Amino acid sequence: MWEHEQLVVRTGRRSGMTTMVALHSTAAGPAVGGCRMKAYPEITDAVTDVLRLSKAMTLKCAGAGIPHGGAKSVIVVDRELTPELRRAVLLDHADLINEFDGAYLAGPDVGTGPQDMLVLRERTPHAYCLPAEHGGTGSSSGPTARGVLAALKAAAQHVFGTPDLAGRKVVISGFGSVGQLVAQGLEGAEVIVSDVDESKRTGEFGWVPPEQAYRTKADVLVPAAVGGVLSPEVVRDLDVALIVGPANNQLTEDGVADLLAERGIVWVPDHIVSAGGVIYTLAREDDGADHETALKRVDGIEATVRKLLGP
């Protein structure tokens, strides 16, 4: 069933590459969502991704009490990205964003960062998270990780009777910028990490290959990489009590949530857990809040999770 307000797919006039924006909802206000830059097997896979991610952003904003709707955009990487081509496709994408006239506000996502937002700003004012030296809030990884840790406290209290995960075994699948910060924040826990990039393996934490991350017996699983990882087949092999992570769209289908419940595994929805970045960015860039005030809003994720899980 079609749930979105708009989906626009374009071939960039400078780059010849495909860019797209999915606007899920503007009922609560202008839609916000990151700009993802990655390769896909087929264009249809990119369209499926942008539609699902944009809907998740609507849920994320609603769960966080933010007066915005959800959107997402994708740049499809179909060849080697030279610096010149990267700049060209970002400018093409900026032109597409600008056509929405403020109904879509873009930020960084997988494959993009603050410097890319600076390029977008050359063609559109509707880009967030510019580098700090250019007046933006920079990377949202820190606030996102802080929100994950806040969610973990509330969920741990619900499942284990204490917010402290010291002595607990925690598996983090995805050791990117957010996953690394979450790992560093889990003082006293036995942390096992996993990533497709073997070079990220260090002696600081335990390590399992990606194919073993969801088969490792642990107290807590933190999905922090790509989405679509919790399928019926994966859930049958899980040996964890709690799942809390920032990866978007973790379930392959809605019914997987019921399977998790049947197995007695507590899962906190990813659109609640991963909201720290958007909460912080909008507090700073829309509301003019200072750093500490914005972080306090991120910490409110703990109360949201407590309310969600109940007594």
Side-chain angles (χ1 to χ4, degrees), residues 223-288:
V226 296
V229 290
L230 294 176
S231 65
E233 295 75 23
V234 168
V235 168
R236 282 196 289 267
D237 291 335
L238 286 175
D239 194 356
V240 299
L242 175 62
I243 302 176
V244 178
N248 291 311
N249 295 327
Q250 293 166 20
L251 309 184
T252 57
E253 54 189 85
D254 290 344
V256 173
D258 296 324
L259 296 178
L260 289 166
E262 290 170 8
R263 294 211 52 213
I265 300 171
V266 174
W267 171 70
V268 182
D270 44 81
H271 60 266
I272 300 294
V273 178
S274 64
V278 69
I279 290 171
Y280 179 87
T281 298
L282 293 173
R284 294 292 310 278
E285 299 197 22
D286 269 5
D287 298 343

Side-chain angles (χ1 to χ4, degrees), residues 154-260:
Q157 177 69 53
H158 179 80
V159 174
F160 306 120
T162 172
D164 189 356
L165 287 171
R168 299 282 179 183
K169 187 174 182 180
V170 181
V171 174
I172 300 176
S173 175
F175 204 48
S177 55
V178 174
Q180 292 177 34
L181 291 170
V182 171
Q184 292 163 7
L186 292 171
E187 296 181 8
E190 179 190 352
V191 179
I192 310 294
V193 302
S194 177
D195 198 273
V196 294
D197 185 355
E198 182 78 18
S199 69
K200 293 179 180 178
R201 182 174 183 174
T202 69
E204 185 178 1
F205 306 106
W207 180 273
V208 293
E211 62 271 16
Q212 292 298 320
Y214 290 82
R215 298 175 183 170
T216 301
K217 179 179 174 62
D219 296 295
V220 184
L221 173 64
V222 179
V226 296
V229 290
L230 294 176
S231 65
E233 295 75 23
V234 168
V235 168
R236 282 196 289 267
D237 291 335
L238 286 175
D239 194 356
V240 299
L242 175 62
I243 302 176
V244 178
N248 291 311
N249 295 327
Q250 293 166 20
L251 309 184
T252 57
E253 54 189 85
D254 290 344
V256 173
D258 296 324
L259 296 178
L260 289 166

Side-chain angles (χ1 to χ4, degrees), residues 69-80:
K72 208 75 172 185
S73 62
V74 161
I75 295 172
V76 180
V77 179
D78 60 2
R79 68 198 81 159
E80 183 180 352

Side-chain angles (χ1 to χ4, degrees), residues 39-73:
Y40 291 87
E42 303 288 344
I43 283 291
T44 50
D45 298 306
V47 171
T48 298
D49 202 24
V50 78
L51 291 173
R52 292 191 68 208
L53 289 166
S54 61
K55 180 179 178 180
M57 284 303 303
T58 297
L59 296 174
K60 185 178 297 188
C61 290
I66 297 171
H68 285 275
K72 208 75 172 185
S73 62

